[in-house]
């Protein structure tokens, strides 16, 4: 099977900050993984499918408003209707409010902020590919 991947990159805004110090809720990374999973299923099956469950989620580093996050996913196993996926979210730009409200650094070495694995399903009657 050809490797099927998806990557999205976006800036965490102050609307995404949920805690003091402009800290973004870790659940926001899980939301991003859901969007990546949807694209993966569309690529494979021509349908958005359904997210069945996460089998593992690890929050590894904080994310703040102003950071840019790159969320990556890949399908690593395909069953009749199930698709096993792994995900990784990396901080590629770090906000630097300690310098000024608009300062940021592009990171030479991205910081992994979250990893997860999950299982999605595409009902047989919904598969178009």
């Amino acid at each position: 099977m050809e490797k099927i991947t998806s990557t999205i990159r976006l800036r965490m805004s102050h609307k995404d900050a949920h805690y003091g110090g402009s800290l973004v809720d870790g659940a926001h990374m899980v939301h991003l993984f859901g969007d990546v999973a949807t694209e993966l299923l569309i690529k494979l099956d021509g349908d958005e499918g359904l997210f069945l469950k996460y089998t593992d989620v690890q929050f590894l580093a904080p994310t703040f408003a102003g950071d840019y996050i790159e969320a990556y996913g890949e399908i690593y196993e395909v069953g009749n209707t199930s698709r096993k996926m792994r995900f990784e979210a990396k901080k590629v730009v770090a906000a630097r409010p300690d310098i000024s409200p608009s300062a940021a650094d592009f990171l030479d070495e991205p910081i992994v902020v979250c990893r997860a694995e999950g299982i999605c399903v595409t009902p047989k009657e919904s598969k178009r590919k």
Side-chain angles (χ1 to χ4, degrees):
M1 176 181 105
E2 181 182 325
K3 191 174 197 178
I4 298 172
T5 67
S6 174
T7 303
I8 58 175
R9 181 185 286 186
L10 66 152
R11 180 179 182 269
M12 298 293 103
S13 75
H14 283 280
K15 292 187 298 185
D16 299 318
H18 189 73
Y19 299 107
S22 297
L23 183 64
V24 174
D25 190 339
H28 197 73
M29 298 307 112
V30 175
H31 176 84
L32 295 178
F33 294 156
D35 288 343
V36 170
T38 298
E39 182 174 305
L40 289 168
L41 291 170
I42 291 168
K43 283 182 174 182
L44 180 66
D45 297 319
D47 189 86
E48 292 184 1
L50 303 162
F51 213 117
L52 178 65
K53 66 179 176 178
Y54 283 96
T55 56
D56 184 42
V57 178
Q58 299 173 32
F59 299 104
L60 303 167
T63 302
F64 300 95
D67 292 346
Y68 278 73
I69 299 297
E70 188 172 277
Y72 167 85
E74 66 181 40
I75 297 173
Y76 68 89
E77 188 176 315
V78 176
N80 281 337
T81 60
S82 66
R83 286 82 178 89
K84 292 185 179 179
M85 302 177 184
R86 60 178 62 99
F87 306 95
E88 187 170 78
K90 294 179 183 178
K91 184 186 310 190
V92 294
V93 172
R96 292 296 309 273
D98 57 312
I99 296 173
S100 78
S102 58
D105 291 330
F106 192 87
L107 303 175
D108 292 330
E109 205 50 50
I111 299 167
V112 177
V113 298
C114 188
R115 285 193 181 108
E117 291 195 16
I119 301 172
C120 293
V121 295
T122 303
K124 287 183 181 184
E125 64 275 6
S126 297
K127 291 195 301 188
R128 296 180 30 241
K129 295 183 178 184

